[in-house]
Amino acid sequence: MIFNKKILFILSLLVPLVGCNSIFTKHVKCDDEAATVLVTQVLQNDLNELLDSELKNLINNGSIKDLEPAKLKILAKNIQFTLTDSRTDFIDPNSPKTTCSMDLVVTMPSDLVKRSDEARTKVNVVSVDAHANDLGVDYENNKIHLILEYVLQPTDKGDKILALLKNSSNVQTLLSETLTYAFLKPQIEKNQIKSLEANRVAAQPDYAVYTDADETVDTEGNMVEAAALAEEDYN
């Protein structure tokens, strides 16, 4: 199975922050708790958007006839995003934008990764670990590590924050495809069983025709032999 590769562009999310107007007069601090919550929400929303796109493709291709599409999004809830140690990289003096970075650890359940790898093996696709290596993602023991870069900016009214993620696309691609293969594992197995059964059934008529032909030849041979014996008796 080949998935369409998608580049995840910078995505944003606006979250209202009640009672915080005073801190948005110019710049938002990178260690602001509300900003950290916002970045986590953006990460989750970006992943969900990728999964929505995958689902549309799978449905349109008729690839998940035996699966419930909602289960893919349910699997995504098992992904954990942990953000720590925020740093201020740049405060733009000419705008209210603040460029930040933070340590991101994404944890995937071991059973989910196992299911994804088993499905990949059945369709001759590289493992999760190899896929991470191809994408240049720091992945080990079911965890992804990334120094996440992002930009914070308040709205003009100062009642909301805009968060722009700069370097999370490859991580999101790895997560999306890992989840999708884990989701597809039962369908892949059913398809393989159906294919084996179809091949077995398809082989039966060939065997029957061959058997009928043999019987026809034997019958004709017996008839010739019987006629010869009759002629001998007559003589």
Side-chain angles (χ1 to χ4, degrees), residues 204-221:
Q204 287 181 343
D206 293 337
Y207 177 77
V209 169
Y210 176 77
T211 301
D212 292 344
D214 281 352
E215 291 178 350
T216 300
V217 172
D218 290 342
T219 301
E220 290 176 349

Side-chain angles (χ1 to χ4, degrees), residues 10 13 17 21 31 37 64 68 112 134 145 162 184:
I10 295 174
L13 178 68
L17 299 173
N21 290 355
D31 61 355
V37 172
I64 53 172
E68 173 57 48
L112 187 147
D134 292 341
H145 298 267
L162 177 68
L184 286 174

Side-chain angles (χ1 to χ4, degrees), residues 133-211:
N133 186 63
D134 292 341
L135 292 170
V137 173
D138 183 0
Y139 170 78
E140 186 176 5
N141 296 327
N142 306 324
K143 291 186 177 181
I144 299 170
H145 298 267
L146 175 71
I147 299 177
L148 180 65
E149 300 172 359
Y150 57 100
V151 176
L152 298 175
Q153 180 180 1
T155 60
D156 291 341
K157 291 183 178 180
D159 59 345
K160 298 176 184 178
I161 301 175
L162 177 68
L164 304 176
L165 309 188
K166 299 175 66 176
N167 64 332
S168 62
S169 60
N170 285 352
V171 168
Q172 296 287 21
T173 296
L174 180 64
L175 292 174
S176 173
E177 296 201 12
T178 300
L179 286 163
T180 301
Y181 275 111
F183 166 70
L184 286 174
K185 181 176 180 287
Q187 184 71 67
I188 291 172
E189 292 173 341
K190 287 182 180 180
N191 290 347
Q192 290 182 336
I193 292 173
K194 290 178 181 179
S195 178
L196 289 172
E197 179 65 16
N199 290 337
R200 185 185 69 80
V201 172
Q204 287 181 343
D206 293 337
Y207 177 77
V209 169
Y210 176 77
T211 301

Side-chain angles (χ1 to χ4, degrees), residues 74-178:
I74 292 174
L75 281 178
K77 294 181 179 180
N78 295 312
I79 303 298
Q80 296 181 354
F81 297 98
T82 304
L83 291 164
T84 57
D85 299 331
S86 63
R87 282 91 78 182
T88 302
D89 296 329
F90 179 68
I91 299 177
D92 191 341
N94 300 314
S95 78
K97 295 181 180 179
T98 302
T99 303
C100 310
S101 59
M102 192 179 297
D103 293 337
L104 169 65
V105 177
V106 186
T107 304
M108 295 186 286
S110 58
D111 62 328
L112 187 147
V113 175
K114 180 181 178 182
R115 288 171 59 187
S116 184
D117 278 337
E118 289 173 349
R120 289 165 180 262
T121 298
K122 292 179 182 296
V123 291
N124 298 318
V125 175
V126 297
S127 66
V128 174
D129 187 74
H131 189 202
N133 186 63
D134 292 341
L135 292 170
V137 173
D138 183 0
Y139 170 78
E140 186 176 5
N141 296 327
N142 306 324
K143 291 186 177 181
I144 299 170
H145 298 267
L146 175 71
I147 299 177
L148 180 65
E149 300 172 359
Y150 57 100
V151 176
L152 298 175
Q153 180 180 1
T155 60
D156 291 341
K157 291 183 178 180
D159 59 345
K160 298 176 184 178
I161 301 175
L162 177 68
L164 304 176
L165 309 188
K166 299 175 66 176
N167 64 332
S168 62
S169 60
N170 285 352
V171 168
Q172 296 287 21
T173 296
L174 180 64
L175 292 174
S176 173
E177 296 201 12
T178 300

